[in-house]
Structure formats: structure tokens, C-alpha cells
Amino acid sequence: VQLQASGGGLVQAGGSLRLSCAASGGTVSRHCKGWFRQAPGKEREFVSGISRSGGTSYYADSVKGRFIVSRDNARKMVYLQMNSLKPEDTAVYYCAVDTNCIVTYVPRRSSEYDYWGQGTQVTVSS
């Protein structure tokens, strides 16, 4: 499985960005998808995840109500719509895939994910 994340950039506080992650290889419809981020000097943290069917999603408390995760299995894509961005959202964002998750489960630990994209930088200026 290969993942390609895109959509990062520089945005002012209060603005929006939409991250995309394209997957290739494997049976995409059976994969759970997740977004993580890592700010300089900090550990990688869970941002959001979505189940195989897209019926279940989870968000970190820090982004709840501002970010929306979605997926398009036909296009093998997962998206992260980020609204009302704050300077503390500045980080490298990674998409990840868990190839062995049950239908309604959304993994939230990085150790549960098997494949990772290369990351896309998001910078929010104040």
C-alpha cells in the first residue's frame, strides 16, 4: 500500500485547508484510515480517523468541531477538511492506513497503522 498526502500549505488563522490522501495497492475499501500530525519538538499525535465504510469517525478533542474526515472508496481517497485553523494546528500531517481493522473500528494509536504517507506541511500564521 502506498499513500500520497497533499493539500498542505500556509494559511492565516481562521482559514481552511483540505488535505487529501491517495491510496494505491491493497483492498482500500477494507482499510481504516487515519490522520496524524507532528509539530516540531513534539510527538506524533492522532488527529482523526474513519472506519472502513466511513460510518464511524473519531477526532482528537483539539480539532473536534473544526475538522471533518471523509473518504471516497471508489476513488481510493481520504480527506481532512480543516476549518477555523489555529496556529497550534501547525504541523506535518500524515495519513495512515490500518489494513486489518474490523468494520466499525477506528484505530487511534499510531502503532495500529501499517502504512504511512510522506506527510504534508500545514502552517497557520497568527
Side-chain angles (χ1 to χ4, degrees):
V1 177
Q2 292 185 325
L3 302 172
Q4 181 73 38
S6 61
L10 173 64
V11 64
Q12 289 188 331
S16 298
L17 282 174
R18 187 195 194 202
L19 304 184
S20 300
C21 181
S24 60
T27 307
V28 174
S29 61
R30 298 178 62 84
H31 299 165
C32 297
K33 303 288 183 66
W35 288 96
F36 288 75
R37 67 186 181 187
Q38 187 166 20
K42 295 187 177 182
E43 293 186 354
R44 188 173 298 188
E45 64 175 357
F46 174 80
V47 176
S48 181
I50 190 166
S51 63
R52 287 167 49 177
S53 67
T56 304
S57 57
Y58 278 102
Y59 299 90
D61 288 342
S62 58
V63 307
K64 201 172 294 183
R66 301 187 295 123
F67 290 11
I68 301 171
V69 64
S70 61
R71 64 188 293 164
D72 184 338
N73 285 345
R75 297 184 177 184
K76 300 183 179 182
M77 298 290 292
V78 61
Y79 306 98
L80 186 68
Q81 178 66 43
M82 305 187 296
N83 302 318
S84 302
L85 283 161
K86 305 175 181 180
E88 50 264 43
D89 294 319
T90 295
V92 177
Y93 283 71
Y94 300 89
C95 59
V97 164
D98 175 356
T99 60
N100 191 32
C101 55
I102 61 176
V103 175
T104 58
Y105 183 66
V106 178
R108 279 156 279 180
R109 295 175 294 180
S110 59
S111 59
E112 297 181 276
Y113 288 85
D114 308 303
Y115 297 94
W116 293 80
Q118 84 290 0
T120 184
Q121 176 71 47
V122 171
T123 303
V124 184
S125 63
S126 57

